[in-house]
Amino acid sequence: METFNVMFERLLIYVEIDASATYGTGITAIKLTALGRPQLLLQLSEVIMRARKYMTEIVGGEGNVLSHHMTIQDLEQKLSKIKDQESVKKFLTQITADKQGILHLFPWSGIIDENQELSNTFRVPDLKTGRMSRLITQLSPKEEEMFRNMIRRMNTIVKAAQDMDVRIMVDAEQTYFQPAITRITLEFMRKYNKEKAIVFNTYQCYLRNAFDEVTTDLEQAKRQNFYFGAKLVRGAYLEQERARAAALGYPDPTNPSFEATSDMYHKTLTECLRRIKAFKDLGEEKKIAIMVASHNEDTVRFAIQKMKEFGIEPEDKVICFGQLLAMCDYITFPLGQSGYSAYKYIPYGPVNEVLPYLSRRAHENKGVLKKIKKEKRLLASEILRRFATGKWWYTPKGDYTPV
């Protein structure tokens, strides 16, 4: 408990630093696993996967609730044979729906309600037994308290960020945690992203389902009328995901190659840009905000080219770029000088805690490290240019104000 409180206090400090250190809206990245017990996220993720399976069993086919366009009346008819009709009626009153059909089987907003218990939320009519059954293992009062504490810490951080004009980007984790992290993040989006994108979710494009997850969440934001924020990355747990899949005997959730991951990244980004353009045409600018978090030159070029194709200008301030400090400055600086919103990501904290993160980034970006020769060549060329022109102190012109 003390460790989570320490991490919580640090994150609040980081939000304050971001608010004072940037020329415009700052950005702070956080990990939900640093704010509460990861096992609880694992349990909630299992509930989400069981809920998806339950919906598939009821309506048939593949996909999530949003793809079926089933109405509450349709579901009521399906459940008419359940013996405990009083519980069924209560279940149906908690469902979220619109004119297109059911959005959610459960009142997911309850998971960020500090006064609601998880154990009493996830009960569904069982078609086989004719009774109500739980999708989550009964949590102890202590576990319920720990989950509420995690949500309370997250809520305090996001509220502080909103007050200080700082965006919160919730980092992605391993696939067995991610359903819960995404669900919690989307609920905080629904709560706080009413006038602008304050809360962002992170999507790892080395996963085979990245495009489907992003499009599903974009659709949720559109149908529930909140601003959507996403950070697109390639991913950080590739070897761990593959090893776990092999050990437990389930299909590898990752793309088979770097090229396939790049294709997934570009496909997902293109869909986001297409939807941004659609909102722009309707006069509803900035309903979607995207960070292209990549050290890959081809991906950055792709993003700029697609922005031009869709008529999205840098001054629209709906796309920003991010790279780690001291990595690929030759990409970041020209972006900023050209008017694009470009950020340098600075890991901050005790050395023994930051080093594992930096080692993962270095391993993940082995290709970037090979480009050091190019960066040295560019620096040498600039030094020679300044020597030849006599401009030792030179500041290129550009719009340096980020989003």
Side-chain angles (χ1 to χ4, degrees), residues 136-195:
I136 189 171
T137 305
Q138 183 75 34
L139 299 180
S140 68
K142 184 66 175 178
E143 289 174 320
E144 291 280 6
E145 180 187 0
M146 293 174 72
F147 186 80
R148 295 273 72 81
N149 287 339
M150 177 173 63
I151 295 301
R152 192 175 295 114
R153 294 179 188 116
M154 177 71 172
N155 192 68
T156 302
I157 290 170
V158 177
K159 182 64 170 66
Q162 183 184 50
D163 293 343
M164 290 184 275
D165 194 24
V166 172
R167 283 173 292 184
I168 294 295
M169 293 189 171
V170 181
D171 274 345
E173 305 276 3
Q174 293 89 340
T175 51
Y176 40 91
F177 292 132
Q178 197 55 45
I181 292 171
T182 294
R183 186 69 264 157
I184 292 170
T185 304
L186 284 170
E187 290 309 313
F188 274 103
M189 280 191 203
R190 189 146 70 108
K191 182 176 180 179
Y192 286 97
N193 291 10
K194 294 179 179 179
E195 297 179 358

Side-chain angles (χ1 to χ4, degrees), residues 75-196:
L75 185 57
E76 185 177 10
Q77 188 174 357
K78 284 271 187 180
L79 303 176
S80 60
K81 295 181 181 179
I82 299 293
K83 296 177 182 178
D84 187 357
Q85 280 298 304
E86 186 175 339
S87 295
V88 169
K89 289 178 181 179
K90 183 179 179 181
F91 170 73
L92 292 171
T93 60
Q94 295 176 334
I95 288 174
T96 305
D98 64 4
K99 292 181 180 179
Q100 297 183 49
I102 294 173
L103 282 155
H104 305 302
L105 290 178
F106 303 106
W108 288 112
S109 58
I111 64 175
I112 64 169
D113 181 350
E114 297 172 13
N115 300 312
Q116 188 164 319
E117 293 188 351
L118 285 180
S119 297
N120 296 326
T121 302
F122 305 109
R123 297 177 70 243
V124 297
D126 191 324
L127 294 176
K128 295 178 181 177
T129 65
R131 300 175 181 176
M132 300 296 290
S133 63
R134 293 183 187 276
L135 294 183
I136 189 171
T137 305
Q138 183 75 34
L139 299 180
S140 68
K142 184 66 175 178
E143 289 174 320
E144 291 280 6
E145 180 187 0
M146 293 174 72
F147 186 80
R148 295 273 72 81
N149 287 339
M150 177 173 63
I151 295 301
R152 192 175 295 114
R153 294 179 188 116
M154 177 71 172
N155 192 68
T156 302
I157 290 170
V158 177
K159 182 64 170 66
Q162 183 184 50
D163 293 343
M164 290 184 275
D165 194 24
V166 172
R167 283 173 292 184
I168 294 295
M169 293 189 171
V170 181
D171 274 345
E173 305 276 3
Q174 293 89 340
T175 51
Y176 40 91
F177 292 132
Q178 197 55 45
I181 292 171
T182 294
R183 186 69 264 157
I184 292 170
T185 304
L186 284 170
E187 290 309 313
F188 274 103
M189 280 191 203
R190 189 146 70 108
K191 182 176 180 179
Y192 286 97
N193 291 10
K194 294 179 179 179
E195 297 179 358
K196 63 185 293 187

Side-chain angles (χ1 to χ4, degrees), residues 31 36 49 74 78 90 149 275 308 332 372 378 396:
K31 283 184 172 291
M49 300 312 293
D74 294 333
K78 284 271 187 180
K90 183 179 179 181
N149 287 339
R275 289 178 179 249
K308 291 178 180 177
T332 314
I372 290 177
L378 291 170

Side-chain angles (χ1 to χ4, degrees), residues 204-330:
Q204 302 186 101
C205 292
Y206 70 4
L207 297 174
R208 295 174 187 265
N209 67 346
F211 178 81
D212 292 339
E213 292 292 320
V214 173
T215 52
T216 295
D217 295 346
L218 280 164
E219 191 65 20
Q220 290 185 68
K222 180 182 177 182
R223 288 172 63 175
Q224 296 184 87
N225 195 32
F226 60 83
Y227 286 67
F228 179 80
K231 178 174 72 171
L232 301 183
V233 301
R234 275 182 164 75
Y237 306 100
L238 180 65
E239 293 181 2
Q240 185 179 349
E241 292 285 4
R242 288 178 173 172
R244 187 174 189 271
L248 298 180
Y250 62 83
D252 183 354
T254 67
N255 287 312
S257 65
F258 178 83
E259 290 73 22
T261 295
S262 292
D263 290 342
M264 179 64 75
Y265 196 118
H266 296 169
K267 178 183 178 182
T268 304
L269 176 59
T270 299
E271 177 62 16
C272 292
L273 292 171
R274 184 190 69 78
R275 289 178 179 249
I276 289 173
K277 177 64 164 59
F279 275 120
K280 187 176 180 181
D281 290 343
L282 293 172
E284 299 180 37
E285 290 85 355
K286 300 189 178 182
K287 293 287 286 189
I288 299 172
I290 303 295
M291 169 174 268
V292 179
S294 176
H295 300 94
N296 185 281
E297 294 176 52
D298 292 335
T299 291
V300 172
R301 289 195 186 98
F302 179 89
I304 292 172
Q305 181 59 39
K306 284 296 178 183
M307 286 177 68
K308 291 178 180 177
E309 288 180 16
F310 284 107
I312 300 170
E313 304 295 335
E315 54 266 27
D316 290 338
K317 302 299 182 183
V318 291
I319 302 292
C320 61
F321 296 83
Q323 290 86 35
L324 275 166
L325 184 67
M327 275 193 180
C328 295
D329 288 346
Y330 66 91

